[in-house]
Amino acid sequence: MNRLRAGYARFRTSVFPGVAPALQKLAHGQAPEALLITCSDSRVMPEMILQAEPGQIFPIRLAGNLVPRPGVDPSGIAATVEYAVRALKVADIIVCGHSGCGAMKELMERAHTHDLPDVTSWLEYAGPSARWLRSSLEEAKNLSDAERLQLISEANVLAQLDHLQQHQAVRDGLAAGTLALHGWMFDIPNGELREFNEKTGVFEPMVVELENERLVA
Ligand SMILES: [Zn+2]
């Protein structure tokens, strides 16, 4: 805890003066560019990875970056998605999975979830996808555990994009052409983002343009 408190001290003295004008401007409202749905994992740091300024990213963070389908229960996730699309009018929604995801490991190793009942029910609640994801693993028996984890994590991102499209606000935004969906994966040891390419059907390293140089991030 002391390190966090010391971090706050550094923020106040070194960082805040630089961002104060932006924060004071934002005090009256926000207009984020994107809704970013990613895992709670402490090693995924969206603002750092994307070098985002205050007010740029509207985040939802939760175990396994899962988006329940609309329906039965009142859902904070559904409310946040609706608010981002209808009130804040974000132009993009990104679902970002990551390597070494504990929630995806739980999906793979169901026998280990006996002491995590809430995780188990969350994984089931958030997905008919859970069953689909597991069945996709059945067909990949000859892969290593690491390859299977990557496969299930990538498939999970696509499943959650599908769930998102069942939310009315998202459907309306897509139909109006004011909203786009993106599937990303963050590789923790390499610091690399890969994005799903609908044409090739695979996650590919994100290609970015920076000061006229073509870089592969
Ligand atoms: Zn995770």
Side-chain angles (χ1 to χ4, degrees), residues 84-124:
V85 174
R86 292 210 200 279
L88 299 177
K89 302 190 188 310
V90 296
D92 298 278
I93 302 180
I94 303 150
V95 176
C96 183
H98 68 96
S99 63
C101 183
M104 294 300 106
K105 276 185 192 157
E106 289 295 334
L107 263 183
M108 278 174 56
E109 303 160 7
R110 294 184 75 194
H112 298 174
T113 57
H114 59 277
D115 57 343
L116 299 170
D118 289 333
V119 171
T120 303
S121 60
W122 166 241
L123 291 174
E124 293 296 333

Side-chain angles (χ1 to χ4, degrees), residues 39-41 64-65 98 101-103:
C39 189
S40 301
D41 195 292
N65 39 273
H98 68 96
C101 183

Side-chain angles (χ1 to χ4, degrees), residues 142-190:
N142 50 354
L143 297 180
S144 69
D145 279 355
E147 289 168 328
R148 284 156 60 87
L149 181 58
Q150 179 172 321
L151 175 73
I152 199 170
S153 301
E154 291 180 352
N156 178 55
V157 168
L158 302 183
Q160 305 318 316
L161 287 172
D162 179 61
H163 286 183
L164 265 175
Q165 291 176 65
Q166 297 174 42
H167 288 256
Q168 192 60 49
V170 174
R171 256 217 290 264
D172 292 347
L174 291 172
T178 54
L179 186 65
L181 302 184
H182 311 270
W184 291 1
M185 283 290 297
F186 179 61
D187 187 71
I188 291 171
N190 297 327

